[in-house]
Amino acid sequence: MALQTISTTSAKKTHSYNEVNQLESINKIKATIPDHLKSFVVEQDTTQYQPTDHAVWRYSLRQLKNFLSENAHQCYLDGLEKTGITVEDIPSIDSICKKLQAFGWSAVPVSGFIPPAAFMEMQSLGILPIATDMRSIDHILYTPAPDIVHEAAGHAPILVNPEFASYLKQYAKVSKNALVSREDLTQYEAIRELSDIKEHPDSTPADILAAEKKLEEITASMSFVSEAALLGRMNWWTAEYGLIGPLNNPKIYGAGLLSSYGEAKECLKDGVKKIPLSIDCVNYSYDITEPQPQLFVAQQFEDLKSVLHELSLTLSYKKGGTFALSKAIQAETVNTIQLNSGLQISGVVADFIEADENCIYYRLNGPTQLSVGGHELKGHDKSYHSHGFSSPLGFIDGYEDCLSWASSEDLQQLGIIEGKETQINFESGVTVKGKLVSTTRTPRRELCLLSFEDCTVSFNGKILFDPSWGIFDMAVGSQVESVFAGPADRKSYGLTDNFAKKIVQKRELSPSEAKLNQLYKKVRDYRKTNDFTLEQLTEVNDQLNSDFPNDWLLRLELVELSYTQPQFEAFRETLTRSLSTIKENFPKKAHVIDYGLLIANQII
């Protein structure tokens, strides 16, 4: 949810020395990442976290550390310590970043959901995006929206394990190549909207129901499972909800479980089916808003890489050919065709002509970019090719090798001469006839582009390109080596729909919320200084009874303090009775109160 903030009449915002240092450190990381990722990095203003936010963090971390000390992978508690994450305070992302650098990673603050493509590209660079937002007390055990509990206390600690950290980088590199569909983007927006609505305290049941119905309708209408969706499933069943070890006694390592005490506690029970991890996990869909009925168990972290490699071999960026072109057409998003000449054509693939299971001609719709090695060719940006691009593919008559290998002398012998009329006959039957005006070679001197004027391209009597359409730029190549997601030169192409940005809006505290925060601050200060009296605690409880009869979390913190002195026992019984009343009036809160009472007397 948006961070809760108190409105101020101060005319100018100032930063403390530590905050300024934080901004400088984050800016150094930001300066190293690609321009299209920089816009997702926000400022984490730690002064915006209210005492209630710290109380929610503290409750979550106390519960998690207590349960996960025995039920998480052995590196988890070690990871919390090595990343500097403590129970008492919402962490500074800058501090986590500095700690992670010892393990080859860094971290940046982001706001709520960022597009999966941006998230994965950051991870492929060894950067962990951490949402600055803090879950509300109503979603203290689990929130569908990204927040600092999930990403700081969930993802960051496991990165100290070198095998898992290596897998996560490899996964991100594979994932950013996987083709994203137009349907994926529509579903992602619906998921983000539902998560934001569920987390926002002002949302009504009708708002939530409408958002749930919208997501259900969109999901039901999806016609196929994209490559990106398959990678998303693998990420869900490994990095988010993965278990590791023996099938009959696994440990938790997935961040979704490590950051959700409710699901962590339930997931190891017999009611949740445990399945050995294999590539079959991508055949299982998931609901981000609900507990999972089954989980997948890896024997060791090395198994994750094996499954990832097996999955990568099925993707368009490795298979190429007509398989990859068909996937790109189905996706209806901006993707890149890479030819064996090194030329990269980025745009929306529209169709292709096939002969003997080979592509002999392909066409892209709308703005198209031509690049080599990830760098846009001068004069071939998406404004020049604003209406699309098309080209034949294959071998030509009279030359045994791919034309990309042809030297200047070879072209002379073939009659392909700049300033001269020429005709190129492809073995497929496609004919290109026109005046050659220029040739383009890659840095490795491979021929990648021939440009013609007054050009006609035909196949079996059908005109594929008419001279009146202008210059015909023929991509040179005999096969599609790869088709991967997004434009080859993203900086020059510009942002595409799968990089749309949305900032979670902050909200102001009401007078009542501000008053409650002052009570939380009192108790927080008492605990930190260990300097308080029974009268002071009683005064806080009296104010709760008067103004906030249904607040359970602060009463729970008072219960914890009551264990510090034997003479506080009667006070503790009074608090326990109040909590029992809240449980009776609000049955959905009973389990979180009980969880808290179970460890109220423990130092964690």
Side-chain angles (χ1 to χ4, degrees):
M1 74 170 190
L3 299 182
Q4 298 177 343
T5 60
I6 301 177
S7 60
T8 176
T9 57
S10 174
K12 183 177 180 181
K13 182 177 179 182
T14 60
H15 293 287
S16 68
Y17 175 78
N18 287 337
E19 288 179 277
V20 172
N21 279 352
Q22 173 190 330
L23 296 175
E24 290 176 352
S25 178
I26 293 298
N27 284 338
K28 287 179 181 178
I29 298 296
K30 187 176 178 180
T32 66
I33 64 179
D35 289 344
H36 62 277
L37 296 177
K38 290 178 180 177
S39 65
F40 296 106
V41 181
V42 301
E43 176 186 340
Q44 183 199 21
D45 182 1
T46 54
T47 65
Q48 300 276 338
Y49 298 120
Q50 300 300 316
T52 50
D53 295 321
H54 285 286
V56 170
W57 168 272
R58 184 174 179 275
Y59 175 94
S60 300
L61 267 289
R62 280 175 58 80
Q63 294 295 328
L64 290 168
K65 284 193 71 175
N66 178 68
F67 181 76
L68 295 174
S69 61
E70 296 182 0
N71 294 290
H73 186 273
Q74 60 186 10
C75 71
Y76 176 71
L77 292 183
D78 184 43
L80 282 177
E81 182 177 350
K82 288 180 177 178
T83 52
I85 296 172
T86 66
V87 168
E88 289 298 324
D89 300 292
I90 298 173
S92 156
I93 295 172
D94 178 68
S95 175
I96 294 175
C97 178
K98 290 174 182 175
K99 299 284 188 180
L100 285 177
Q101 287 173 346
F103 304 97
W105 282 73
S106 58
V108 294
V110 298
S111 179
F113 271 113
I114 67 171
F119 190 94
M120 289 305 161
E121 188 168 352
M122 284 189 185
Q123 285 199 342
S124 73
L125 298 172
I127 300 170
L128 177 66
I130 298 180
T132 60
D133 314 282
M134 183 66 205
R135 67 186 60 185
S136 67
I137 190 172
D138 292 332
H139 298 106
I140 199 165
L141 293 185
Y142 170 79
T143 174
D147 80 326
I148 197 166
V149 176
H150 172 72
E151 279 150 9
H155 281 293
I158 303 298
L159 291 178
V160 305
N161 182 282
E163 289 82 11
F164 178 76
S166 175
Y167 159 73
L168 202 60
K169 283 185 181 178
Q170 287 188 27
Y171 169 84
K173 289 176 180 178
V174 172
S175 182
K176 74 176 187 176
N177 286 312
L179 305 189
V180 180
S181 75
R182 176 64 52 188
E183 293 180 351
D184 290 335
L185 300 181
T186 302
Q187 185 188 49
Y188 163 73
E189 287 298 329
I191 290 173
R192 181 166 67 176
E193 180 181 346
L194 173 59
S195 297
D196 290 347
I197 288 174
K198 278 192 168 185
E199 185 61 30
H200 199 285
D202 296 333
S203 297
T204 66
D207 293 333
I208 296 173
L209 186 63
E212 288 176 337
K213 184 178 180 181
K214 179 180 178 181
L215 176 57
E216 289 174 2
E217 290 174 349
I218 289 172
T219 301
S221 69
M222 296 183 76
S223 58
F224 70 103
V225 180
S226 72
E227 292 183 350
L230 293 177
L231 265 295
R233 290 177 179 182
M234 181 165 183
N235 183 67
W236 187 265
W237 300 126
T238 57
E240 293 291 350
Y241 278 77
L243 302 177
I244 191 166
L247 196 63
N248 62 349
N249 186 30
K251 302 297 182 182
I252 297 168
Y253 74 90
L257 297 172
L258 293 175
S259 60
S260 172
Y261 175 65
E263 285 208 86
K265 187 176 176 64
E266 295 300 316
C267 78
L268 297 178
K269 295 181 178 179
D270 292 340
V272 177
K273 187 177 181 181
K274 313 299 188 300
I275 305 173
L277 179 68
S278 71
I279 195 173
D280 187 53
C281 71
V282 302
N283 295 319
Y284 288 76
S285 61
Y286 59 88
D287 183 346
I288 192 173
T289 65
E290 298 293 338
Q292 309 308 314
Q294 74 282 311
L295 295 174
F296 293 84
V297 184
Q299 290 186 352
Q300 54 191 356
F301 283 131
E302 287 79 1
D303 295 344
L304 307 184
K305 291 183 180 179
S306 298
V307 175
L308 176 63
H309 177 68
E310 187 178 356
L311 179 58
S312 73
L313 296 177
T314 70
L315 303 179
S316 297
Y317 87 100
K318 285 197 173 179
K319 295 192 72 170
T322 56
F323 170 88
L325 291 172
S326 297
K327 290 289 186 181
I329 292 170
Q330 192 179 38
E332 298 182 320
T333 49
V334 174
N335 297 298
T336 296
I337 299 171
Q338 181 164 307
L339 305 182
N340 59 329
S341 63
L343 185 66
Q344 298 164 322
I345 306 106
S346 303
V348 179
V349 183
D351 54 39
F352 64 90
I353 300 173
E354 182 180 3
D356 298 325
E357 299 184 352
N358 293 311
C359 171
I360 62 172
Y361 197 89
Y362 56 90
R363 182 174 64 87
L364 293 83
N365 279 336
T368 303
Q369 172 196 70
L370 303 186
S371 307
V372 172
H375 298 287
E376 183 177 274
L377 290 177
K378 186 177 180 180
H380 292 281
D381 59 18
K382 66 179 185 179
S383 62
Y384 178 72
H385 297 288
S386 61
H387 299 295
F389 183 87
S390 64
S391 182
L393 184 71
F395 293 92
I396 68 169
D397 290 338
Y399 194 72
E400 293 183 355
D401 294 318
C402 176
L403 188 60
S404 63
W405 292 9
S407 65
S408 298
E409 292 76 14
D410 291 335
L411 294 180
Q412 287 277 343
Q413 292 179 5
L414 291 167
I416 304 174
I417 304 169
E418 285 191 32
K420 300 289 186 180
E421 293 284 339
T422 188
Q423 179 169 317
I424 300 176
N425 298 316
F426 283 78
E427 292 179 354
S428 63
V430 175
T431 299
V432 177
K433 184 177 181 180
K435 180 182 177 181
L436 182 65
V437 292
S438 67
T439 61
T440 304
R441 292 184 179 274
T442 71
R444 295 188 303 177
R445 304 305 300 156
E446 291 170 312
L447 186 67
C448 65
L449 197 66
L450 298 174
S451 299
F452 299 87
E453 62 182 14
D454 297 326
C455 186
T456 300
V457 183
S458 60
F459 174 67
N460 290 344
K462 181 181 179 180
I463 300 299
L464 301 178
F465 190 91
D466 187 275
S468 65
W469 299 350
I471 298 293
F472 179 69
D473 296 296
M474 189 187 93
V476 177
S478 58
Q479 63 182 2
V480 173
E481 281 193 338
S482 175
V483 176
F484 58 85
D489 186 342
R490 192 176 293 277
K491 180 178 180 180
S492 298
Y493 191 94
L495 293 183
T496 50
D497 290 344
N498 61 331
F499 274 81
K501 178 185 176 184
K502 181 180 179 183
I503 297 293
V504 177
Q505 297 301 311
K506 299 177 182 179
R507 75 181 188 92
E508 295 183 354
L509 288 178
S510 68
S512 176
E513 289 170 327
K515 186 176 181 180
L516 179 60
N517 268 289
Q518 290 304 313
L519 292 180
Y520 271 88
K521 184 179 185 305
K522 276 188 179 182
V523 173
R524 180 174 171 82
D525 291 342
Y526 292 156
R527 183 173 59 251
K528 285 198 167 187
T529 61
N530 196 29
D531 182 15
F532 53 87
T533 65
L534 178 59
E535 289 73 20
Q536 288 172 317
L537 299 188
T538 301
E539 181 184 350
V540 172
N541 188 48
D542 288 344
Q543 291 185 60
L544 283 175
N545 291 334
S546 173
D547 300 325
F548 307 101
N550 300 324
D551 186 278
W552 61 271
L553 183 53
L554 189 53
R555 286 184 173 86
L556 186 61
E557 292 200 338
L558 291 173
V559 169
E560 292 177 26
L561 293 182
S562 74
Y563 278 104
T564 61
Q565 299 291 337
Q567 63 267 32
F568 290 178
E569 184 176 354
F571 176 61
R572 180 166 63 251
E573 290 176 355
T574 298
L575 292 168
T576 304
R577 286 194 295 271
S578 296
L579 288 170
S580 295
T581 300
I582 295 174
K583 287 164 54 177
E584 291 174 4
N585 294 335
F586 303 93
K588 290 184 178 180
K589 297 180 180 180
H591 59 297
V592 292
I593 294 172
D594 288 339
Y595 292 159
L597 290 172
L598 282 173
I599 62 171
N601 64 339
Q602 297 182 27
I603 299 175
I604 296 174

